[in-house]
Amino acid sequence: MKTDVDVIVVGAGPVGLALASELALAGVSVRVLERRDSADPAMRAQSVNVPTAEALDRRGLLPALERIQRETLGASAFRFTGHFAGMALDPGLVDWADPELAGHTAVEGARMIPQPRLEELLAGHAERLGVVVRRGVEVTSLEDTGEGVVVGTGSGSLRAGWLVGCDGGHSTVRRLAGIPFPGTDPEITGYQAVVDIADPEKLTDGWSWSPRGVYRCGPQPGRVATVEFDGGPADRSAPVTLADVQSSLRRVSGTDVTLTALRAAPTRWTDNTRQASTYRSGRVFLAGDAAHVHPPFGGQGLNLGVGDAVNLGWKLAAVASGRSPEALLETYDAERRLVGAWVLDWTRAQIGILRGDPKSGALRGVLADLLATRDGTTYAVKQIAGVTQRLPLPGSHPWTGRYVPDVPLRNGTRLADHAHEGGFLLLDRTPGVVFAELVKGRARVIRDDGTGVLGALIRPDGVVVWATDTPDADGLDEALTRWAS
């Protein structure tokens, strides 16, 4: 089919922009369609996890992320731990020498990144790569012809080889593609806002529970959040007003606290938790909230979506350009569904513990005791950070299937510094550089005489698909053929 562009991405949020950038970096033509006329200023995620920060580090964006964190916190030195169901995780209890944490410290100064600032950064990155974003364009129809996709909009139709819906939990692409979205219905209504408070002494800093719900005050001045187990809002799309936030905060806190002004666009959210039955239907893919929705604790949705984008981006580019067979695309759903299902359960568990009933309160007390231990806190911090994620790939080396850890090289650079242009990397530390002889142009060889792992093949999304501690190249050619052909 004659096409206008290789790939159409619907949605210009962080996920859509990250995906479009990965496609453009790999030489694929891409067009982004966004129904909004401008970026969404609403408060959403306030942080990114390690895989997200490392994905941006591999594209040369680490200095910009570190600058955003300094501006957000007023300082760069900060060890992010987060919380589980409102129970803050004490940095002093974490075993920072744990190999899974100690192996990913290069992005420590790039974790507290508010979503609007991240979206702004990604928009600039996409623009530098030549990505065209058409705003104010709403998708109204789609047809998968088997050879391409015809996308109808209010401004006419476009033809592309492939279509990716990154258009949120109410995804038009998912609906038009007929992809089911099973899951659990909402029990709660949550609000998040930055406000001026006339009488802040009436509120308690941190998380507070009551039979009516939960509220949080801080950590930034004026930031408040509430959770009420009210069965969910009647109309989640209705504008959020200062009165809405104040009424919720008064009900949950049991005080007559007075809010005088909104300082940022507030958000309303629920614990609606769903995962698409498939992330692919023919030539149509889903990523981000279009593929999965869940409560927003810890910014997991943003991070899960960016993970989708960097996983799909290089694969779709390789197939769209004819470098790889279409079978490569089947690994997208297989790999990302596992991570998505875990995140859904991780956030569902927190909703269960946040309830104000006596049974949930008792369970919260038991969990609080576990999180007051070194092992318990370290476990939770590693899960939130994303450093435990592992794909079920063949190979017994500890690195295989994981995101590559920090690798400083003898010449003063890092392995991530050599990933700015995308593509596969092969780390070769063998005398005589014996692994490089098998590459045959399929990966960029990084020669190093440093200590540690002797060889590793790293995908463009940072996942290690082959590694060894010996000069034996067994399995390397198979990994190159499977992934980088």
Side-chain angles (χ1 to χ4, degrees), residues 430-454:
T430 59
V433 201
V434 298
F435 298 148
E437 298 175 0
L438 297 174
V439 168
K440 300 176 184 177
R442 294 175 288 183
R444 181 181 179 186
V445 177
I446 308 300
R447 296 173 171 85
D448 184 50
D449 60 356
T451 59
V453 173
L454 278 185

Side-chain angles (χ1 to χ4, degrees), residues 50-51 53-54 57-58 79 94-108 111 378 382 385-388 398-399 402-408 414-416 453 462 464:
V50 168
E54 289 181 339
D57 179 17
R58 288 192 298 274
R79 274 186 157 164
V94 178
D95 179 8
W96 296 107
D98 181 285
E100 291 177 316
L101 289 172
H104 298 270
T105 60
V107 296
E108 234 175 30
R111 297 285 308 282
T378 301
K382 290 197 300 181
V387 296
T388 61
W399 281 17
R402 294 184 179 273
Y403 290 107
V404 63
D406 302 331
V407 182
R414 298 177 301 124
L415 194 60
V453 173
V464 178

Side-chain angles (χ1 to χ4, degrees), residues 416-439:
D417 297 330
H418 299 270
H420 294 182
E421 303 303 318
F424 281 76
L425 297 180
L426 175 67
L427 175 66
D428 191 340
R429 285 172 165 164
T430 59
V433 201
V434 298
F435 298 148
E437 298 175 0
L438 297 174
V439 168

Side-chain angles (χ1 to χ4, degrees), residues 79-95:
R79 274 186 157 164
F80 182 86
T81 55
H83 71 90
F84 186 85
M87 290 174 278
L89 302 171
D90 183 355
L93 287 174
V94 178
D95 179 8

Side-chain angles (χ1 to χ4, degrees), residues 59 102 115 117 156 163 167 217 261 301 314 362 389 427 443:
R59 300 301 179 252
Q115 185 165 328
R117 296 294 305 274
L163 171 69
D167 51 340
C217 190
W314 71 269
Q389 293 181 23
L427 175 66

Side-chain angles (χ1 to χ4, degrees), residues 424-427 443 455-459 463-467 476 479-480:
F424 281 76
L425 297 180
L426 175 67
L427 175 66
L457 179 64
I458 302 104
R459 299 191 321 196
V463 173
V464 178
V465 294
W466 174 86
L476 175 56
L480 285 162

